[in-house]
Amino acid sequence: MALFHRKRTADTATPADTATAAVLPADPALEALTGDYTIDPAHSSIGFTVRHAMVTNVRGAFGDYAGTLHLDGAEPSRSTASLDVKIASIDTGIADRDGHLRSADFFDAEAFPLMTFRSTAAERVDGDRYRITGDLTLRDVTKPLTIDLEFHGAATDVYGAERVGFEGSAEILRSDWGLTWNAALETGGVMVSDKVKLTFDISAVKAAPQV
């Protein structure tokens, strides 16, 4: 199911289409998705992967976060996303490492307790693939972030809640947000890579219409 209107490409458009930049009629099923949604942490995950010691990956996740979506099925460019992540909830499975990540060497969770994302634009790439761009704020540094997403569809769960699902990822350089700590290896290279892959597996519940 596509979330965005499908524009006719240049190789299939008729002259009239080209002249008027015609867009296919809105799909009623997509328009029905329009509304406000709350991210469900119990059925979502926000994680990361970073190269460690040049030879393996360390994976982790944040366990405490809150977010909202506004989906506009008739005009998808008006869709928005907002996310607040509590840095102290970081979990890589090793307590000592998590403590180091919370320290001033990395996230400095005491001074900068939140990582936030606020969307500024959304677009359809093709099929069920989309792209959302926004501002990621971390350690009081705000820089643009682009997340590639796949829309998994919409369904009503056994409790009658309307849900939508997305899976996405993005790559950043942690140094862009001031996370520069590292240690040199005797064999060459460094302990922690600058590149970090962020992953998002999102289930969001539609808010009930206000009476």
Side-chain angles (χ1 to χ4, degrees), residues 9-52:
T9 57
D11 59 344
T12 60
T14 66
D17 292 332
T18 304
T20 61
V23 176
L24 294 178
D27 184 340
L30 300 182
E31 290 189 336
L33 297 180
T34 296
D36 296 317
Y37 294 76
T38 299
I39 293 174
D40 176 10
H43 297 92
S44 304
S45 65
I46 298 174
F48 61 89
T49 304
V50 62
R51 200 76 169 164
H52 178 260

Side-chain angles (χ1 to χ4, degrees), residues 18-158:
T18 304
T20 61
V23 176
L24 294 178
D27 184 340
L30 300 182
E31 290 189 336
L33 297 180
T34 296
D36 296 317
Y37 294 76
T38 299
I39 293 174
D40 176 10
H43 297 92
S44 304
S45 65
I46 298 174
F48 61 89
T49 304
V50 62
R51 200 76 169 164
H52 178 260
M54 308 295 291
V55 296
T56 190
N57 289 321
V58 167
R59 292 176 174 83
F62 296 94
D64 193 350
Y65 52 87
T68 58
L69 308 174
H70 174 74
L71 302 183
D72 191 324
E75 190 61 51
S77 63
R78 297 176 182 171
S79 299
T80 60
S82 176
L83 182 66
D84 294 331
V85 179
K86 291 187 178 180
I87 294 298
S89 68
I90 195 168
D91 182 7
T92 65
I94 298 179
D96 287 346
R97 180 166 60 204
D98 295 342
H100 191 199
L101 289 170
R102 295 185 189 106
S103 76
D105 281 346
F106 285 94
F107 290 104
D108 199 353
E110 185 173 348
F112 308 104
L114 284 181
M115 173 173 63
T116 66
F117 177 79
R118 301 289 184 266
S119 67
T120 56
E123 63 176 312
R124 172 179 177 269
V125 178
D126 61 56
D128 286 332
R129 296 192 303 121
Y130 308 94
R131 185 167 291 140
I132 188 166
T133 301
D135 293 324
L136 178 69
T137 300
L138 179 60
R139 287 181 60 107
D140 212 24
V141 176
T142 301
K143 290 186 174 292
L145 175 69
T146 297
I147 304 171
D148 289 318
L149 294 164
E150 182 178 358
F151 178 54
H152 287 321
T156 300
D157 66 21
V158 294

